[in-house]
Each structure stands twice: as structure tokens, then as C-alpha cells.
Amino acid sequence: MEAVTKQLVPDKLLELGFAFSASKTFLSAVEMGVFTELAQSSMTAAELTEKLGLHPRSARDFLDALVALKVLDYSDNAYSNTPESDLFLDRSKPSYIGGYLEMYNTRLYRFWGSLTEGLRSGKPQNEAKNGEDFFGTLYQDPARLKLFLEAMSGVSMGVAKAIAEKFPWENFQTFIDIGTAQGQLPVTVALSHHHLQGGGFDLPVVRPIYEEYVASRGLSQRLHFHGGDFFQDMLPSADVLVMGQILHDWNLEEKHLLIAKAYEALPTGGALIVYDALIDDERCQNKFGLLMSLNMLIETFGGFDYTGADCCAWMDKVGFKDTYTKPLVGAYSMAVGIK
């Protein structure tokens, strides 16, 4: 009896090609505050249409698409948030990550339209094409900078909790988070390990934002701010240094330099923790890490993401004697080097 040949269909390819429609539908919902409105109470289609100022022609399709995308629930003729949407997409909650998604919507969505050009030129496709410096401008505006750093805190919350749980902090006394932003990681680690003293290192303009956040968590006596530029200045010394979502911004030479500076700042027996969306060593599983590396093409002049094996090899090169990698949460892993 002849084997039945499975008929090939293009559905998966068509779905992938149209995936931008799902992304934009979701990002528009974040932009319009759908999830913040529904955090107050569930609403009917008519109520949401009026609240959000939607045109009735497409309102029901828009809302039902969000249900199909599993970011809203629908029952008893009313829409409500899913547990994840309620926690992470309500602007009134400290766990809100929508600020980052709003940046995806207003900036990255259009820049990714030039990916083909970037792949052929090897050059950024963001504001740099017109001689602008988005991040330089951002850091000059305290109000916008605070919103951006708060968004980064929401995005990094899960990773920070995983590092607090999965690294042997009991073996160390002090730590510094390099590129600390608002201070989500040092706060999370310090709240989990009461013996630790530490802080964060970032550009001086970040100090008031960091200190306000740390004070709000009652940790001002244990966590201090160190201002500086990690390319121009020496890194502060501590038993553990953390570099989270830092290395992927820079080219290979700059990556080597930052790891070497961390090695010099650590005592013998000290540890460097590097976390990013580390690409799997076979480079075929961590889709988010690979796409994030393409995002570094869009956003930077030389940045790229990398595998855990790559990072351990760079650590070995500057003198770290023991290196290993460990999964954290979702697409994120950490590489650890012991001096």
C-alpha cells in the first residue's frame, strides 16, 4: 500500500508574512489605552467604542481581534483584560511595560520598514539616517527620560527576579548593576537578599530617577548611585558586577573592552553577570534573540546579539577562570564569569 503524501500548504508562510498586522493591532490597543480602561471594569463593545473614540465601522473587529490574539477576554457580552494584560498593560500599575511598547509603536515599527536597506548597507535605519540622536535627545529631557526608564524597569522585572533567585548571592557581599537605569535589578536583588550592599552605575543624569525609585522601596541606605560613562571612566569595584542588556548595543571591540574593564574592577573570586536574550549556541531556537540582533542593526552602528558560548569565550579571553551560562526567564539567559 502506497504511503500517503502529506499535502503542503502555504498557510504558515502567509501567516508569517502578515504577522505585522497582529503586531500593529496590539500596539494600537496599547497606544489608545484599551487595557488601562478595562483595568477599571469590563465593558461592552458600545461602551469601549465611546470611551476610546473608535469609529463604529471597525470597532467590533478590532476588539474581537484582540480577543483572538489572547490579550483580551470576552464573556457575557463584555470585554475584559487577561491576567497578563491587566498586570503589564495598565498604565496605573508599576508593572506597566506599555511605555516600551509605545516606543515600538512610534519609532521601531516604521524603522523596521527599512530592514532590507539596513541588511544591504549595514547601517542604522533609525533617526541616525537624518543625523539625529534619539537617545542623546532623550537623556536631555528629564521627563521623557523618566518615562523611558520606568518602561525599562517593567520590561526587566521578570529577569531581575530570576537573577535574584538563580545566582548564588549568599557567597557575595556587594554588587553593582552597570547601566542600571531606574534601578530595578539592584532593588529586586536587595529585597531578596538582605545581607547585600550595592548600587547602580549609569550616566549622571540618571541619578535623581534612580535615587527616587530606590528611596520609594526603602533601600537608600543599602543601594547607592555611581555616576559615570562606562567607556570613559573606571567601573566601580564590588564582589559582583552585572551588565544587563548592555553588551548587545556595541561592536565586538567595544564588547571586549567592557568585559575587560569589569574584570579589572572585580576582586579575585568576584563575578561578572552578563544577561541578554542570549542566542542559543546552534543559532536556531531563540527567535527573540535573533530578531533582537536585527533590531541592533536598525538601532546601532555596530551592535549585535550573541550566543552564550560567544560571551563565555570573551570572558575567558580577558582572564575569567570559570564561566557558565544559565537560563533565566523567557528568551533571556545569563553568562557568568568568576575572576
Side-chain angles (χ1 to χ4, degrees), residues 220-257:
S220 297
Q221 297 302 312
R222 293 172 54 202
L223 298 178
H224 304 286
F225 184 81
H226 303 262
D229 180 321
F230 51 49
F231 283 120
Q232 302 298 323
D233 302 311
M234 293 181 62
L235 299 182
S237 182
D239 296 339
V240 180
L241 296 181
V242 183
M243 289 185 178
Q245 302 184 86
I246 294 293
L247 289 188
H248 74 165
D249 288 338
W250 309 102
N251 65 31
L252 184 58
E253 181 181 355
E254 291 162 333
K255 285 175 167 64
H256 287 168
L257 175 61

Side-chain angles (χ1 to χ4, degrees), residues 275-301:
Y275 74 84
D276 260 317
L278 297 181
I279 299 168
D280 56 291
D281 292 344
E282 292 75 27
R283 296 181 58 84
C284 62
Q285 295 297 322
N286 191 346
K287 177 173 64 176
F288 180 80
L290 290 163
L291 293 176
M292 182 55 69
S293 198
L294 291 178
N295 194 60
M296 291 302 100
L297 166 66
I298 297 289
E299 288 276 55
T300 72
F301 286 93

Side-chain angles (χ1 to χ4, degrees), residues 71-125:
V71 293
L72 288 185
D73 288 327
Y74 183 76
S75 64
D76 299 327
N77 201 36
Y79 297 90
S80 59
N81 285 335
T82 65
E84 292 83 5
S85 298
D86 197 66
L87 178 62
F88 296 115
L89 299 176
D90 174 10
R91 288 177 178 143
S92 67
K93 292 184 174 69
S95 51
Y96 180 64
I97 65 167
Y100 222 72
L101 294 169
E102 290 174 42
M103 190 264 286
Y104 290 169
N105 188 38
T106 57
R107 294 184 61 250
L108 292 183
Y109 186 82
R110 58 192 169 97
F111 295 146
W112 268 76
S114 300
L115 177 62
T116 303
E117 181 182 343
L119 291 169
R120 288 178 170 154
S121 69
K123 295 179 180 178
Q125 298 302 306

